[in-house]
Amino acid sequence: MSKFDDIKELLSNAFPKFPDIVQIELRAEFSVIDYKGQSFIVISIDFDDNTFILKINGVETIINGFDSSKLFNIINATGVAFIPIDGKQGLLGFGDSHCDFVFFDESYFCFVEFKLNATSLRKVNKNRVDAIRQLKNTIDLFDDKLERNYAGLNLEAYVCTPEFYPRLNASWQALAQNFLEDYGIPLFERNDKTCK
């Protein structure tokens, strides 16, 4: 059995809702967006009329007001499992503050938190701290449920912030280093993942 199948089985045993929530995406490139407090895979984008399509409750739904700065992009994928965490259709639903979604392929298991609504550098810095807390809550829960067995996959965590603010500054580097020391997981401030 592959690592991909192994982690699917582990998650299915740990989370009863998992089989109903997980989505397998086979496109080599696709995007995830937060829409009304829920993470969704973007089915398609129409740049001419600024709309995009999401599958909401099993129905493809056209949404107005597409904003490319609000996406997390997954590139060079060969098969990815996507699991929304927060929200009505999420694995954990509403309640304790967790990250927005996780995804995995044959090599990586990634935790992702959107913080894209900041309008000042001060707000970005506050959002970074909040996002790390949410990532830690989710990782702690998954570590407990999976008994830290991620089927040999490499773990990563992502905080998505607006791209027009400086990244990799001293403040961020200290947060990422502390996260790595506490969890042994690299933390990135990016809005994309290139799979290997």
Side-chain angles (χ1 to χ4, degrees), residues 3-183:
K3 290 180 182 179
F4 187 86
D5 291 331
D6 288 346
I7 192 65
K8 278 176 52 184
E9 185 175 326
L10 289 166
L11 288 164
S12 187
N13 291 334
F15 297 97
K17 284 178 65 176
F18 172 78
D20 299 326
I21 301 294
V22 67
Q23 299 169 49
I24 306 299
E25 181 58 62
L26 299 175
R27 290 181 287 173
E29 293 187 14
F30 65 97
S31 300
V32 176
I33 195 165
D34 181 78
Y35 177 71
K36 295 186 176 182
Q38 177 78 52
S39 295
F40 293 93
I41 293 174
V42 177
I43 305 298
S44 66
I45 301 165
D46 186 336
F47 292 101
D48 292 335
D49 66 3
N50 205 35
T51 61
F52 59 104
I53 297 176
L54 303 177
K55 189 173 274 189
I56 302 174
N57 297 322
V59 177
E60 290 192 4
T61 306
I62 298 172
I63 311 292
N64 291 311
F66 174 71
D67 183 349
S68 64
S69 70
K70 304 291 186 190
L71 300 175
F72 184 86
N73 300 300
I74 299 172
I75 303 157
N76 198 38
T78 57
V80 170
F82 166 79
I83 309 160
I85 300 295
D86 277 347
K88 184 178 177 182
Q89 298 175 33
L91 183 68
L92 303 178
F94 297 106
D96 290 339
S97 190
H98 294 96
C99 72
D100 290 307
F101 68 97
V102 299
F103 68 94
F104 60 89
D105 63 8
E106 186 63 32
S107 301
Y108 290 92
F109 192 101
C110 303
F111 299 87
V112 183
E113 173 59 25
F114 283 119
K115 291 294 184 196
L116 295 167
N117 293 327
T119 55
S120 70
L121 187 55
R122 183 173 159 215
K123 183 67 174 169
V124 168
N125 288 331
K126 180 188 178 314
N127 281 352
R128 286 171 170 165
V129 172
D130 290 345
I132 290 169
R133 180 181 46 77
Q134 291 173 268
L135 288 164
K136 287 179 175 181
N137 288 345
T138 310
I139 292 166
D140 289 343
L141 177 68
F142 273 69
D143 281 355
D144 181 55
K145 293 279 194 177
L146 296 173
E147 298 175 349
R148 295 191 176 175
N149 180 2
Y150 291 87
L153 298 177
N154 299 302
L155 303 181
E156 294 180 340
Y158 291 82
V159 174
C160 303
T161 56
E163 292 185 6
F164 47 86
Y165 287 103
R167 295 183 173 193
L168 301 176
N169 59 18
S171 171
W172 172 256
Q173 289 175 347
L175 291 170
Q177 183 60 38
N178 288 340
F179 190 88
L180 181 62
E181 288 171 6
D182 291 346
Y183 283 85

